Amino acid sequence: MAGLLCRLLLCLAAAGAAADLLLEEVRRSVDLSTHLAKVSAELSLANAAGGTAASAFLLALEPGLEPRLAYLGVQVKGEEEEENTLEVRETKVKGKSGKFFSVKLPSPLAPGAKVRVSVEMVFTHVLQPYPTHITQSEKQFVVFEGNHYFYSPYFTKTQTTRVKLASRNVESYTKLGNPSRTEDMIEYGPFKDIPPYSQDTLKVHYENNSPFLTITSMTRVIEVSHWGNIAVEETVDLKHTGAVLKGPFSRYDYQRQPDSGISSVKSFKTILPAAAQDVYYRDEIGNISTSHLLVLDDSVEMEIRPRFPLFGGWKTHYIIGYNLPSYEYLYNLGDQYALKMRFVDHVFDEQVTDSLTVKIVLPEGAKNIHVDSPYEINRASDELHYTYLDTFGRPVIVAHKSNLVEQHIQDIVVHYTFNKILMLQEPLLVVGAFYILFFTVIVYVRLDFSITKDPAAEARMKVACITEQVLTLVNKRLGLYRHFDEAVNKYKQSRDISTLNSGKKSLETEHKALTNEIASLQSKLKTEGSDLCDKVSEIQKLDGQVKELVLKSSVEAERLVAGKLKKDTYIENEKMHSNKRQDLVTKIDNILDAL
């Protein structure tokens, strides 16, 4: 209610000021060299003497151009030629229809004072192709209809209008006031003593082969991660809104003749942020390899070349995406964060966007979200976005705006709070998931989920267990021989018979115990009906032969020490015993491998 009252007072103040204000001089320029109509006007605004100070003034739009207005900016020029942007609000004037704007002056304009104001307006889809259909070899002509006069609620003393065209080829134009024409420029005026709300149709029919590209629909998704990355993806629907192609398209003529399809679009350049990396450009078919990327000092320039040239009425669809480092766009103070990024970015020169949807995906757990926009946007209901390791979803800011041009390439600031402890959520979820996985595997391996018991499987498991025990005991028994060999070597060096007897006694005792255990296991294998019982029996026989050779070696060592056996004979016999022993051990190892 308070906002409505404030706007009402502003309207009344502006309406009251309208009676005292006048335009001493208007210099208007209409740029029609592209598919946009750019109107700029230098106003000398004066407040009549004897009146009251004016804090604002009114701007009015021509009735035919009202729905086509994309951008309106007003600046005031100071004494040192510096320009200050003024606040512009839409308002209404009692007894008048149409669209009006109230412009607040930096300081009240005293009676008898003057101020220089610069007005910039951009209109879209006001240049109408005529003829509406052309062949591939024809040039494109368009018609613009406007007003010879600067449409204003104030009396204007003098005014000039300069119209800049895209070429010198002009079919026709209105000739109010005997205008002058030079090359691609038409100058009207000066017109004197123009009443308020004056209208007189200005019409120009001329050649314009500039690219009539229009973004009919665009979805811009900005995904913020506190792990150091911001992912940007733009889905673009593009249409050539110039004269529709009539007849067939000849690729041969298009490549052979330089003026064939002169109004078509082969490629255009998109300017990405300087920090953009991992850039991709694709459509429904897949990656489009005809694009080119050029990294500059202050930007990344990407040449977008569709799969086919765009003629009037033709459309294309593509997706472009890239990553940005978050430290360049994300600022924080404690738990307070601010994301500063462009609401819409550069797609091509002189771009027009009919419909734009921006989705900003914030980290999971972001709260107290507030958006600061440089111009009015339509906020839709916030959404939730789920991706890897999310639990309750990431908040998504959704905003819409229509009829955008290059002047709308400005920063939007998103404020929110985020508890930094939540950054541990995803690593802990990964750790927890692996823990649950491993625990499940452990439980699964140790549990028997069979409905009925399988005697054969149980028997195989018992045999496997017995066989494992046999392998262990046989290897342990073979180790006894190595220990006894060490005792014999010590005896040969020290000639202490007690060392030899002690080693022999230890060998006999432990060997007997291990042999008995193996025999017990052999009987168990026989009970289970396993054919491995025969292999164990063979191992027992071979081991007996090994033991016999070991004891022979010890006896000959005694004879050598006692002087009853020559050294050469001992060495020869020992070598023969060692070879036989090695062959027996190899046979035992082969049987063990078979087990």
Side-chain angles (χ1 to χ4, degrees):
M1 185 67 183
L4 182 61
L5 181 60
C6 179
R7 294 188 64 179
L8 181 59
L9 292 175
L10 185 62
C11 294
L12 293 175
D20 301 325
L21 297 177
L22 59 91
L23 298 175
E24 289 195 342
E25 182 184 12
V26 175
R27 288 183 294 175
R28 185 177 62 151
S29 175
V30 182
D31 187 353
L32 305 177
S33 59
T34 64
H35 65 301
L36 299 173
K38 302 176 183 177
V39 179
S40 59
E42 298 287 338
L43 312 180
S44 179
L45 184 66
N47 193 358
T52 58
S55 59
F57 69 95
L58 288 176
L59 283 178
L61 285 186
E62 299 172 27
L65 298 179
E66 285 179 7
R68 304 298 186 183
L69 178 68
Y71 172 78
L72 172 62
V74 183
Q75 294 178 328
V76 62
K77 290 188 175 182
E79 295 180 356
E80 299 180 0
E81 294 297 323
E82 74 276 5
E83 294 185 347
N84 299 316
T85 302
L86 302 181
E87 179 183 352
V88 180
R89 289 188 179 182
E90 187 174 351
T91 185
K92 293 184 178 180
V93 176
K94 187 176 181 180
K96 292 291 183 179
S97 60
K99 185 173 288 189
F100 293 86
F101 295 90
S102 174
V103 183
K104 186 178 180 181
L105 293 171
S107 59
L109 187 64
K114 301 178 184 179
V115 65
R116 294 168 60 196
V117 178
S118 176
V119 179
E120 180 184 7
M121 291 179 284
V122 180
F123 298 92
T124 60
H125 303 300
V126 294
L127 302 182
Q128 301 301 320
Y130 188 78
T132 57
H133 293 69
I134 59 175
T135 62
Q136 182 176 333
S137 59
E138 291 179 320
K139 297 178 181 179
Q140 178 174 265
F141 286 81
V142 297
V143 173
F144 170 77
E145 290 189 8
N147 189 358
H148 283 105
Y149 306 115
F150 178 73
Y151 191 72
S152 172
Y154 306 118
F155 179 83
T156 304
K157 287 187 175 181
T158 179
Q159 177 206 317
T160 57
T161 297
R162 175 178 293 182
V163 180
K164 179 176 175 55
L165 306 177
S167 68
R168 65 177 68 181
N169 189 3
V170 180
E171 288 288 307
S172 64
Y173 61 95
T174 53
K175 297 179 173 59
L176 179 67
N178 193 22
S180 62
R181 177 190 164 195
T182 56
E183 299 293 333
D184 58 351
M185 193 78 66
I186 303 175
E187 294 189 14
Y188 291 90
F191 302 116
K192 303 290 186 178
D193 301 329
I194 305 169
Y197 303 108
S198 293
Q199 286 184 274
D200 190 87
T201 301
L202 165 66
K203 187 174 182 179
V204 184
H205 185 201
Y206 66 103
E207 180 185 343
N208 187 345
N209 293 307
S210 60
F212 273 55
L213 277 182
T214 300
I215 303 171
T216 57
S217 176
M218 177 176 173
T219 301
R220 176 174 164 89
V221 180
I222 302 170
E223 187 170 350
V224 181
S225 171
H226 282 189
W227 292 99
N229 186 70
I230 298 176
V232 180
E233 184 176 88
E234 296 175 349
T235 304
V236 180
D237 289 310
L238 206 61
K239 182 180 180 181
H240 192 303
T241 52
V244 178
L245 178 65
K246 179 174 62 176
F249 165 65
S250 171
R251 173 77 66 174
Y252 174 74
D253 292 339
Y254 190 75
Q255 294 180 342
R256 185 174 63 90
Q257 301 174 3
D259 58 345
S260 177
I262 192 172
S263 62
S264 66
V265 178
K266 296 180 181 179
S267 64
F268 54 89
K269 292 181 179 179
T270 295
I271 307 300
L272 306 180
Q277 54 189 354
D278 305 326
V279 182
Y280 58 88
Y281 167 48
R282 64 172 185 262
D283 57 12
E284 287 85 352
I285 300 175
N287 184 58
I288 304 175
S289 59
T290 54
S291 59
H292 300 284
L293 201 67
L294 179 61
V295 179
L296 305 176
D297 292 337
D298 57 349
S299 64
V300 174
E301 188 177 277
M302 185 176 187
E303 181 186 9
I304 301 293
R305 185 179 291 272
R307 296 183 184 274
F308 48 84
L310 295 178
F311 284 84
W314 290 18
K315 304 177 183 179
T316 187
H317 171 88
Y318 68 89
I319 299 172
I320 185 172
Y322 50 90
N323 292 321
L324 297 171
S326 61
Y327 68 85
E328 292 193 9
Y329 301 92
L330 188 62
Y331 309 90
N332 79 295
L333 179 61
D335 289 343
Q336 303 291 327
Y337 286 82
L339 174 69
K340 186 177 183 181
M341 289 194 68
R342 288 178 174 177
F343 185 75
V344 61
D345 214 335
H346 181 278
V347 180
F348 50 85
D349 293 339
E350 309 295 347
Q351 68 187 46
V352 177
T353 306
D354 287 345
S355 177
L356 171 67
T357 299
V358 177
K359 296 184 178 181
I360 303 176
V361 184
L362 299 178
E364 190 175 35
K367 299 179 179 179
N368 304 322
I369 301 171
H370 173 67
V371 179
D372 290 334
S373 175
Y375 39 77
E376 184 179 355
I377 59 176
N378 299 321
R379 280 282 303 274
S381 299
D382 291 350
E383 301 175 354
L384 287 178
H385 175 73
Y386 293 90
T387 184
Y388 305 107
L389 302 177
D390 287 341
T391 53
F392 48 87
R394 303 186 182 190
V396 181
I397 301 172
V398 182
H400 305 280
K401 189 169 180 60
S402 58
N403 203 16
L404 295 94
V405 289
E406 281 189 353
Q407 284 77 1
H408 290 101
I409 301 179
Q410 300 181 42
D411 290 331
I412 184 174
V413 182
V414 180
H415 302 272
Y416 62 94
T417 58
F418 179 80
N419 191 349
K420 294 182 179 179
I421 198 69
L422 292 177
M423 293 187 67
L424 298 175
Q425 175 179 321
E426 293 183 358
L428 291 177
L429 283 174
V430 174
V431 172
F434 277 107
Y435 178 82
I436 294 173
L437 174 64
F438 294 150
F439 181 77
T440 304
V441 172
I442 292 171
V443 171
Y444 178 79
V445 169
R446 280 165 171 72
L447 293 180
D448 184 10
F449 294 98
S450 60
I451 299 176
T452 59
K453 293 186 178 181
D454 186 356
E458 291 185 359
R460 287 194 298 270
M461 291 179 64
K462 287 182 180 180
V463 170
C465 182
I466 295 171
T467 304
E468 189 68 28
Q469 296 179 35
V470 171
L471 294 176
T472 303
L473 294 175
V474 170
N475 287 325
K476 189 175 181 181
R477 190 168 61 182
L478 292 175
L480 293 178
Y481 300 139
R482 289 191 292 271
H483 290 302
F484 184 68
D485 289 340
E486 293 176 0
V488 171
N489 291 332
K490 289 182 181 179
Y491 165 69
K492 288 190 291 184
Q493 295 175 1
S494 64
R495 297 176 180 273
D496 185 4
I497 192 64
S498 61
T499 302
L500 181 62
N501 291 334
S502 175
K504 188 181 294 185
K505 183 178 180 180
S506 176
L507 173 64
E508 292 289 350
T509 303
E510 296 184 19
H511 185 275
K512 183 178 181 180
L514 292 173
T515 302
N516 291 335
E517 288 186 39
I518 295 173
S520 175
L521 294 174
Q522 181 182 356
S523 63
K524 289 182 179 180
L525 288 173
K526 189 174 182 180
T527 303
E528 295 295 334
S530 173
D531 57 354
L532 298 179
C533 175
D534 298 335
K535 294 184 180 294
V536 175
S537 177
E538 187 177 353
I539 290 175
Q540 293 285 66
K541 292 178 182 179
L542 293 173
D543 180 75
Q545 298 176 27
V546 173
K547 182 182 178 184
E548 184 180 346
L549 290 172
V550 170
L551 292 177
K552 278 186 180 181
S553 296
S554 67
V555 171
E556 292 192 352
E558 287 185 63
R559 293 178 63 195
L560 175 66
V561 172
K564 297 179 181 180
L565 184 66
K566 293 182 180 181
K567 188 175 182 180
D568 294 340
T569 304
Y570 172 78
I571 292 174
E572 184 177 349
N573 292 340
E574 182 65 21
K575 184 176 180 181
M576 181 181 63
H577 294 157
S578 177
N579 291 336
K580 289 182 179 180
R581 179 178 164 183
Q582 184 62 40
D583 291 341
L584 293 171
V585 171
T586 301
K587 291 181 180 179
I588 292 174
D589 288 339
N590 291 336
I591 295 174
L592 292 177
D593 291 340
L595 292 178

